[in-house]
Amino acid sequence: MDIFISSAFGYSRKKKEKEMKISAAVVAAAFSLAFSFILVNFTGQCDAALQQGFYKGKCNSQDVEAIVASVVKRRFNDKPRVAAGLIRLFFHDCFVNGCDASILLDGDSSEKTAPPNLSVSGYDVIDEAKGLLEEACAGVVSCADIIAIAARDAVQLSGGGRYEVQTGRRDGSVSLASNVDLPSPRFSVSQSADAFAKKGIGLTDMVLLLGGHTIGFTNCSLFRDRLYNFDNTGKPDPTMDPLLVMKLRLICPRNSPADRTPVSLDQNLASTFIVDNSFYKQIRLGRGILQIDQALALDPLTNNTVASLANGNDFLARFGQAMVKLGAVDVLTDSQGEIRESCHLKNKPRSTFLFG
């Protein structure tokens, strides 16, 4: 889940002569309250050019977000796993070059071709929504915004509540596999924290964003070593529940070359397709699938946050805020970037005519 981007929020007070005097203590309290309000509503890390309702009145009276939502809802009703794919697509896009839809571009050496992105899905959902929006208002809505809106809709449809998406992003034109440097599922908490920090994402928000694994799936190749030969010990990872080790060995044989069976990252199977705090409860029981997930519950840097999320009732609100922060990473706005005609193709250069 890019450089930290902060908005400069002005704070002005107009003095009115002959009105009641306000004490310094009251002023300080008012400023503190106003600043807290800003942090809660804008999550403290939003690009100044992004805004809620950016497309209002810009798409021939059509509701841009409703058009995207209609596509996501239909796809979700047909296949609930599409929600996890769209959230992952959002993360993989924003973590490389910022949230600029560069992951969508085709090419022999584009981001799509990088090993971590070979299993990314949801491209067809974005393409369908883009097609409908081009019919409604050609050249207006960016692919980057469609990804952000679709991810929010995926969260909402999965029971995660609705958070407001800020829009106004433009699309990038650079997409290189060599730029893809995503945090590994085998990272330690410190390594993962360093990777997120480079994108301006703090430790708590990292834990929240990894909570997206509540509806995630993975393949055996990413955790088989934890079942058979953790850290070259010839034994399973001692932090994994032994009963879970036995279960997963049936799904993931030691020498099987195939990874055909998806494994839920939230081992409360009643919650497989639900965005909730069950993921945190499971990793506290030693039932994390990926090494980084289990480490969150054990490392002193993050275990208190995990415990708070597992036992509290504020995960949904905080997860939405973290997604908004992620969506503001290294965005292109205003005159930067472009609005692609097709999400997977760069716009063709305009012809230049010389007269003389």
Side-chain angles (χ1 to χ4, degrees):
M1 331 314 23
D2 322 43
I3 308 290
F4 181 84
I5 300 175
S6 61
S7 297
F9 296 98
Y11 180 78
S12 62
R13 290 174 296 166
K14 295 183 177 179
K15 294 183 178 179
K16 295 183 177 181
E17 296 181 359
K18 298 180 182 180
E19 290 190 355
M20 61 182 298
K21 295 181 179 180
I22 302 176
S23 70
V26 173
V27 172
F31 179 84
S32 176
L33 179 62
F35 186 67
S36 298
F37 179 80
I38 288 170
L39 288 178
V40 169
N41 284 274
F42 293 95
T43 70
Q45 185 178 328
C46 297
D47 186 275
L50 297 181
Q51 59 183 277
Q52 294 178 17
F54 176 82
Y55 293 109
K56 187 176 181 179
K58 298 179 181 178
C59 190
N60 299 325
S61 76
Q62 297 293 309
D63 187 331
V64 168
E65 294 189 24
I67 291 174
V68 177
S70 67
V71 175
V72 176
K73 183 177 181 179
R74 180 168 49 77
R75 295 297 192 99
F76 176 84
N77 289 339
D78 182 56
K79 187 178 180 182
R81 274 187 62 186
V82 74
L86 289 170
I87 295 172
R88 186 172 181 232
L89 176 64
F90 177 60
F91 176 86
H92 281 227
D93 180 48
C94 290
F95 219 86
V96 180
N97 293 339
C99 309
D100 66 348
S102 55
I103 193 173
L104 303 180
L105 287 170
D106 292 337
D108 292 339
S109 58
S110 69
E111 290 176 29
K112 280 183 179 179
T113 67
N117 288 337
L118 294 179
S119 58
V120 169
S121 60
Y123 298 118
D124 55 333
V125 180
I126 305 303
D127 283 341
E128 181 180 348
K130 176 64 171 176
L132 293 176
L133 288 167
E134 284 298 295
E135 292 178 5
C137 49
V140 172
V141 183
S142 70
C143 302
D145 277 341
I146 296 173
I147 294 175
I149 295 168
R152 185 274 311 279
D153 294 338
V155 171
Q156 182 179 11
L157 288 167
S158 300
R162 181 183 178 86
Y163 58 89
E164 295 303 319
V165 173
Q166 293 190 320
T167 45
R169 300 169 189 80
R170 290 171 66 84
D171 300 322
S173 58
V174 176
S175 181
L176 297 172
S178 57
N179 287 339
V180 177
D181 185 21
L182 294 161
S184 167
R186 294 185 174 88
F187 270 5
S188 67
V189 169
S190 294
Q191 289 173 312
S192 187
D194 288 344
F196 276 82
K198 290 177 182 177
K199 309 301 177 184
I201 304 291
L203 195 62
T204 298
D205 285 316
M206 179 191 81
V207 176
L208 287 163
L209 290 169
L210 289 176
H213 287 172
T214 183
I215 58 171
F217 292 83
T218 192
N219 295 316
C220 298
S221 62
L222 292 181
F223 64 88
R224 186 180 275 111
D225 60 317
R226 298 189 69 209
L227 306 179
Y228 299 100
N229 188 28
F230 183 67
D231 281 350
N232 295 315
T233 60
K235 299 177 181 180
D237 185 342
T239 66
M240 183 181 281
D241 176 4
L243 293 178
L244 181 59
V245 172
M246 293 173 59
K247 171 188 169 183
L248 293 176
R249 281 181 169 181
L250 296 175
I251 300 171
C252 306
R254 181 191 292 267
N255 298 314
S256 175
D259 278 335
R260 296 191 181 127
T261 304
V263 176
S264 176
L265 295 176
D266 182 349
Q267 280 296 297
N268 173 10
L269 300 186
S271 181
T272 298
F273 298 108
I274 302 174
V275 172
D276 57 17
N277 67 343
S278 172
F279 166 78
Y280 299 106
K281 295 178 181 179
Q282 290 296 305
I283 62 177
R284 293 192 77 211
L285 295 172
R287 296 174 61 78
I289 301 299
L290 299 177
Q291 186 172 329
I292 180 57
D293 290 350
Q294 190 56 65
L296 292 177
L298 301 173
D299 195 292
L301 288 172
T302 52
N303 59 2
N304 287 336
T305 301
V306 169
S308 174
L309 292 168
N311 297 322
N313 57 8
D314 59 351
F315 166 65
L316 299 184
R318 295 175 69 186
F319 179 67
Q321 292 170 3
M323 289 286 279
V324 173
K325 287 185 181 181
L326 177 62
V329 168
D330 274 4
V331 293
L332 301 173
T333 58
D334 299 325
S335 61
Q336 301 170 317
E338 62 184 11
I339 303 296
R340 285 188 220 137
E341 298 172 11
S342 169
C343 284
H344 59 91
L345 296 174
K346 297 179 185 179
N347 287 347
K348 295 180 180 178
R350 294 184 179 181
S351 298
T352 300
F353 296 95
L354 300 177
F355 298 92

